[in-house]
Amino acid sequence: MSLMLEEIRQQPEALRRTIESESGKIARLGTFLKERDLRLIVLVARGSSDNAALYGRYLFETTAGIPVSLAAPSVFTLYDAKLRLDNALVIGVSQSGEGEDINVVLERAKSAGAFTVGITNEPASTMAALVDEALVMQGGKERSVAATKTFTGQMLMFSMLAEALRESGEPIDFTRVPDDVAGALASDDAIRGMVERYVFMDQCVVVGRGLVYACAYEMALKLMETCYVVAERFSTADFFHGPLAIVERHFPTFIFAPPGRTTDGTKQLLERLRDLRADTVVITGDDALTGFTPRTVKLSSEIDERLAAISYIVPGQLFAAHLAAAKGLDPDAPRSLTKVTRTL
Amino acid sequence: MSLMLEEIRQQPEALRRTIESESGKIARLGTFLKERDLRLIVLVARGSSDNAALYGRYLFETTAGIPVSLAAPSVFTLYDAKLRLDNALVIGVSQSGEGEDINVVLERAKSAGAFTVGITNEPASTMAALVDEALVMQGGKERSVAATKTFTGQMLMFSMLAEALRESGEPIDFTRVPDDVAGALASDDAIRGMVERYVFMDQCVVVGRGLVYACAYEMALKLMETCYVVAERFSTADFFHGPLAIVERHFPTFIFAPPGRTTDGTKQLLERLRDLRADTVVITGDDALTGFTPRTVKLSSEIDERLAAISYIVPGQLFAAHLAAAKGLDPDAPRSLTKVTRTL
């Protein structure tokens, strides 16, 4: 079994340990930050961590009401910009804590007066040392090059922090996450059977909107890294603005479709894809969204919409891991890649 | 000749007319906005307009020092979030001025206390009526479904507004843009010859970083819309974080590489792509970046780095228009698409 698959299966336990270890600290951090008159949250990350930040973006804006900017590190590292960041919370996300450009942005933000937080797997990392507060995942070392348990761990951190900063809506019960993820892992056998159909797929589109937009980015990245599939990723809305033209009969599309506010838009997309005779896989817990394609990965209908991304990505991870195996590839050692990427 | 190609060639004149018509108004707007203690700029758009906003993002942050958030419209339209937007400038971009979700965001922002600006081609549009200040492009109606002259017009507007808000660095001489774009149009014949090689290409990667990241997004969108090529788009840095794994011998890659701060990173990428034996096209005005591939589109070395995106996209537009023609497709009427897309 690949390390990737092993680490995918460790997720419920990894998430549980992170909640135990970090929830008290994050609640206190929220109380402290709420007194600081935050006007902006800046998230800075690369790769899978950046996809987790995309989830954080929607979650913070919808629950805390604070505008979020996903940082472009080169604004600092190449163009040497001095941004006004007083009253900003700047959160860096890096599995290793050694992403150089991420750390440069955090340093600059700190000296511009921002409060800085680091989300990392490595308590002894450069990032953990430089930020005002380090949030450390407790999932054990990630050995596969393809990030899986650190990705869901990062999303969990965002959900805990969003709850700590929440200004409106129902409380977010992030303690349900490990069980929800364990439930999503039950799709393992179904997905192992399904990937056979896609062994010779060389391109596809992955779609998700709003709080699961991050899943589209992350599944596409996993397919690129471990299966060498050219995988486009779009929100439902952006997809209709042009890229839909690439879809023809049999074109493979993967759709993340939790029950909730995105249901109507997803339904419209599924109807369109059915008319175009695309080859569609739907990952959903919504009975209204089954029946459009013979290939549905069914998840629980009980998952909180705000936490859905953390469970919904699991079938996407499993799909990539099983597809890599079916293609005879080693998902733990993608060609051309290493675990820590250095860019400035 | 396609409308698309016709409109690509109208760009120098369209840009010149927009400068004549709007530069006084934008300078006055800048003076007014500088007195408002702006803490955040939010850009909201879809499709090509969103790609123009991506250019605006880098430009505002690097010249005005104000953090920029690229809005996720669904935060407002689906999740009904109430964001704190006092002291924010919110800029909507829509060719037609009728993008419903864009207009919803502008309305919400206005009632939350933001100052709103609309960039559009249609002075009688819903957007123009609802914003505090409408900036109207004077390039004449765009008839092709694939946006070209409105895209460079939108980028020009951002450069004029960035100059009006500039806090540091040399003045931005946006009046050079029409001539720079006319110079880029001289690549027409070379590109018409080059596309023959790519008639049977069905996937590719387009890369650009920082101020030309927007060009990567826009050329990829044009290739998807008009040539049905599955075109991935990445920044140089993100590309190294995983997606590089999809590149193998002969894999087609297109690189936007103006002289300037991105040169070192681009050189590193070009060396890597040469080692991987990718099939690379470079669009550059930088002598240090030629010689890595037999296929270089050479632009002037004199273009201001901050304005480069507006000229550099021109070879990308020409490539898509000529490739569509070479494939026997009509770039003015892409399958599945209409000019105004309605999403909420």
Side-chain angles (χ1 to χ4, degrees):
Chain A
M1 187 167 57
S2 62
L3 289 173
M4 182 182 177
L5 201 51
E6 212 172 285
E7 290 173 346
I8 289 170
R9 291 178 182 163
Q10 290 166 1
Q11 289 178 108
E13 188 49 31
L15 293 163
R16 198 168 283 121
R17 276 191 279 152
T18 299
I19 292 172
E20 274 168 28
S21 154
E22 303 296 294
S23 59
K25 188 204 277 185
I26 293 177
R28 287 190 296 279
L29 177 61
T31 308
F32 167 79
L33 288 170
K34 276 181 155 181
E35 285 162 10
R36 277 181 68 99
D37 185 35
L38 287 185
R39 285 164 168 271
L40 176 66
I41 298 175
V42 177
L43 306 180
V44 51
R46 290 275 182 209
S48 283
S49 304
D50 203 27
N51 298 340
L54 193 52
Y55 167 69
R57 186 260 165 93
Y58 283 86
L59 198 57
F60 285 137
E61 289 195 338
T62 54
T63 60
I66 303 169
V68 175
S69 171
L70 294 163
S74 69
V75 163
F76 299 86
T77 58
L78 293 186
Y79 300 107
D80 198 28
K82 310 276 180 288
L83 291 198
R84 180 166 182 185
L85 290 172
D86 49 313
N87 297 86
L89 165 65
V90 179
I91 306 176
V93 191
S94 169
Q95 179 273 133
S96 66
E98 302 299 342
E100 287 173 66
D101 47 357
I102 310 307
N103 288 338
V104 167
V105 177
L106 287 167
E107 269 167 23
R108 294 287 190 86
K110 206 170 167 182
S111 56
F115 187 86
T116 56
V117 169
I119 296 177
T120 179
N121 216 32
E122 299 294 342
S125 62
T126 308
M127 176 186 277
L130 82 85
V131 291
D132 293 303
E133 186 81 68
L135 306 178
V136 181
M137 285 174 285
Q138 304 294 330
K141 197 157 182 67
E142 188 167 69
R143 289 151 64 212
S144 175
V145 170
T148 55
K149 65 180 178 177
T150 57
F151 178 70
T152 50
Q154 290 160 352
M155 288 201 288
L156 170 70
M157 291 285 198
F158 281 123
S159 77
M160 294 163 83
L161 198 50
E163 173 58 14
L165 294 172
R166 186 171 53 84
E167 286 292 346
S168 63
E170 292 291 302
I172 302 171
D173 181 9
F174 53 79
T175 64
R176 294 168 48 178
V177 169
D179 289 342
D180 289 344
V181 167
L185 281 169
S187 61
D188 197 353
D189 284 346
I191 289 170
R192 192 188 293 114
M194 191 184 280
V195 297
E196 285 297 316
R197 181 181 179 88
Y198 297 95
V199 168
F200 293 97
M201 167 175 81
D202 53 10
Q203 52 190 35
C204 69
V205 162
V206 192
V207 181
R209 194 175 183 197
L211 284 154
V212 293
Y213 188 29
C215 293
Y217 267 72
E218 179 63 8
M219 181 178 177
L221 182 56
K222 288 286 139 317
L223 288 172
M224 288 190 273
E225 284 180 322
T226 64
C227 303
Y228 315 144
V229 171
V230 178
E232 294 278 0
R233 54 271 177 254
F234 298 105
S235 84
T236 318
D238 289 326
F239 192 44
F240 278 118
H241 276 259
L244 183 66
I246 58 179
V247 175
E248 58 193 333
R249 192 184 172 105
H250 288 311
F251 193 96
T253 57
F254 298 85
I255 321 283
F256 289 96
R261 320 251 182 140
T262 53
T263 294
D264 288 351
T266 305
K267 204 171 165 188
Q268 199 188 339
L269 175 64
L270 287 171
E271 284 164 358
R272 191 69 181 275
L273 292 172
R274 188 180 54 190
D275 292 348
L276 292 168
R277 304 207 186 181
D279 185 302
T280 303
V281 173
V282 183
I283 299 164
T284 189
D286 192 337
D287 286 333
L289 298 176
T290 58
F292 288 93
T293 158
R295 284 166 298 282
T296 301
V297 178
K298 197 72 174 46
L299 298 187
S300 162
S301 61
E302 302 295 309
I303 301 171
D304 184 333
E305 184 176 5
R306 295 166 299 177
L307 299 168
I310 313 178
S311 299
Y312 272 67
I313 192 54
V314 172
Q317 296 170 332
L318 289 168
F319 193 97
H322 288 309
L323 182 60
K327 289 175 101 153
L329 299 170
D330 177 3
D332 299 327
R335 63 186 181 199
S336 314
L337 302 183
T338 53
K339 185 78 183 159
V340 180
T341 309
R342 301 191 186 277
T343 45
L344 257 185
Chain B
M1 188 168 58
S2 64
L3 289 173
M4 183 183 177
L5 202 51
E6 213 171 285
E7 289 173 347
I8 289 171
R9 291 178 181 164
Q10 291 167 2
Q11 290 178 109
E13 188 48 30
L15 294 162
R16 200 167 281 122
R17 276 192 277 154
T18 298
I19 292 173
E20 274 167 29
S21 154
E22 303 296 294
S23 60
K25 189 204 277 185
I26 293 176
R28 287 189 297 279
L29 177 61
T31 309
F32 167 79
L33 288 170
K34 276 181 157 181
E35 285 162 9
R36 279 180 68 100
D37 186 34
L38 287 184
R39 285 164 167 271
L40 176 65
I41 298 175
V42 178
L43 306 180
V44 52
R46 289 273 183 213
S48 283
S49 304
D50 204 27
N51 298 341
L54 193 52
Y55 166 68
R57 186 259 165 90
Y58 284 86
L59 199 56
F60 285 138
E61 290 194 338
T62 54
T63 60
I66 304 168
V68 174
S69 170
L70 294 164
S74 69
V75 164
F76 299 85
T77 59
L78 293 186
Y79 300 106
D80 199 27
K82 309 277 179 287
L83 291 198
R84 180 168 184 185
L85 290 173
D86 50 313
N87 296 84
L89 165 65
V90 180
I91 306 176
V93 192
S94 168
Q95 179 273 134
S96 66
E98 301 300 342
E100 287 173 65
D101 49 356
I102 310 307
N103 288 338
V104 167
V105 177
L106 288 168
E107 269 167 23
R108 294 288 190 84
K110 207 170 164 181
S111 56
F115 187 86
T116 57
V117 168
I119 296 177
T120 178
N121 216 30
E122 300 293 343
S125 62
T126 308
M127 177 187 277
L130 82 83
V131 291
D132 293 303
E133 187 81 68
L135 306 178
V136 180
M137 285 174 285
Q138 305 294 330
K141 199 158 180 65
E142 188 167 70
R143 289 150 66 212
S144 175
V145 170
T148 55
K149 65 180 179 178
T150 56
F151 178 70
T152 49
Q154 290 160 353
M155 288 201 288
L156 170 70
M157 291 286 198
F158 281 123
S159 77
M160 294 163 83
L161 199 49
E163 172 57 15
L165 294 173
R166 188 171 51 84
E167 287 291 347
S168 63
E170 292 291 302
I172 302 172
D173 183 8
F174 52 79
T175 64
R176 295 169 46 177
V177 169
D179 289 342
D180 289 345
V181 168
L185 281 169
S187 62
D188 197 352
D189 283 347
I191 290 170
R192 193 190 291 116
M194 191 185 278
V195 297
E196 285 298 315
R197 182 181 178 89
Y198 298 95
V199 167
F200 293 97
M201 165 175 82
D202 53 12
Q203 54 191 34
C204 69
V205 162
V206 192
V207 181
R209 193 175 183 199
L211 284 155
V212 294
Y213 188 29
C215 294
Y217 266 73
E218 179 62 8
M219 182 176 176
L221 181 56
K222 288 286 140 317
L223 288 172
M224 289 190 270
E225 284 180 321
T226 65
C227 304
Y228 315 146
V229 171
V230 177
E232 294 278 0
R233 54 269 176 257
F234 298 105
S235 85
T236 318
D238 289 326
F239 192 44
F240 278 118
H241 276 260
L244 184 66
I246 59 179
V247 174
E248 57 193 333
R249 191 184 172 104
H250 289 310
F251 193 94
T253 57
F254 298 85
I255 320 285
F256 288 96
R261 320 251 182 140
T262 53
T263 294
D264 288 351
T266 305
K267 203 171 164 188
Q268 200 188 338
L269 176 64
L270 287 171
E271 285 163 357
R272 192 68 182 274
L273 291 173
R274 188 180 53 190
D275 292 348
L276 292 168
R277 304 210 186 178
D279 184 301
T280 302
V281 174
V282 182
I283 299 164
T284 190
D286 193 336
D287 287 334
L289 299 177
T290 59
F292 289 94
T293 158
R295 284 167 297 283
T296 301
V297 178
K298 197 72 173 41
L299 298 186
S300 161
S301 61
E302 300 296 311
I303 301 170
D304 183 333
E305 183 177 5
R306 296 167 298 176
L307 298 168
I310 313 179
S311 299
Y312 273 67
I313 191 54
V314 173
Q317 295 170 332
L318 289 168
F319 192 98
H322 287 310
L323 181 60
K327 290 175 101 152
L329 300 170
D330 177 3
D332 299 326
R335 64 187 181 199
S336 314
L337 301 184
T338 53
K339 185 78 183 157
V340 181
T341 309
R342 302 190 184 280
T343 45
L344 258 185

